[in-house]
């Protein structure tokens, strides 16, 4: 990903020196690439975990197996023009 950002920045510098290319156009490419890199790194963040600890002998097995109900509610707007939507999902942990 870092190589992609560096390539985009190099491309933007080369484009900036060409006639007919505005400064805005040559600035937006590295910014968009940086945003993409940030989102990709955040999306790959979770998972793993565990490790560490020591001699206490306790073990956290995580979420117990079973079926769980998860409710997700989204709200947009304010006052009398508020739009709200609720979805109920079933999560099965095995």
């Amino acid at each position: 990903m870092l190589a992609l950002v560096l390539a985009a920045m190099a491309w933007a510098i080369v484009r900036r020196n060409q006639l007919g290319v505005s400064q805005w156009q040559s600035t937006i490419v590295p910014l968009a690439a940086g945003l993409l890199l940030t989102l990709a790194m955040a999306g790959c963040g979770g998972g793993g975990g565990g490790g560490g600890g020591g001699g206490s002998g306790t073990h956290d097995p995580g979420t117990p197996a079973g079926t769980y109900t998860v409710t997700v509610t989204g709200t947009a707007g304010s006052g009398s023009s508020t739009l709200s939507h609720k979805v109920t999902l079933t999560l099965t942990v095995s």
Side-chain angles (χ1 to χ4, degrees), residues 30-77:
L31 290 176
L35 178 62
L36 178 66
L37 176 66
T38 302
L39 292 174
M41 291 177 73
C44 296
S56 68
T58 60
H59 175 68
D60 181 11
T63 305
T67 302
Y68 299 89
T69 302
V70 179
T71 303
V72 179
T73 304
T75 304

Side-chain angles (χ1 to χ4, degrees), residues 18-90:
Q18 294 177 351
L19 293 175
V21 177
S22 70
Q23 185 175 0
W24 179 86
Q25 287 174 327
S26 60
T27 303
I28 197 72
V29 172
L31 290 176
L35 178 62
L36 178 66
L37 176 66
T38 302
L39 292 174
M41 291 177 73
C44 296
S56 68
T58 60
H59 175 68
D60 181 11
T63 305
T67 302
Y68 299 89
T69 302
V70 179
T71 303
V72 179
T73 304
T75 304
S78 63
S80 63
S81 63
T82 300
L83 175 65
S84 182
H85 188 71
K86 179 166 62 169
V87 175
T88 302
L89 306 168
T90 302

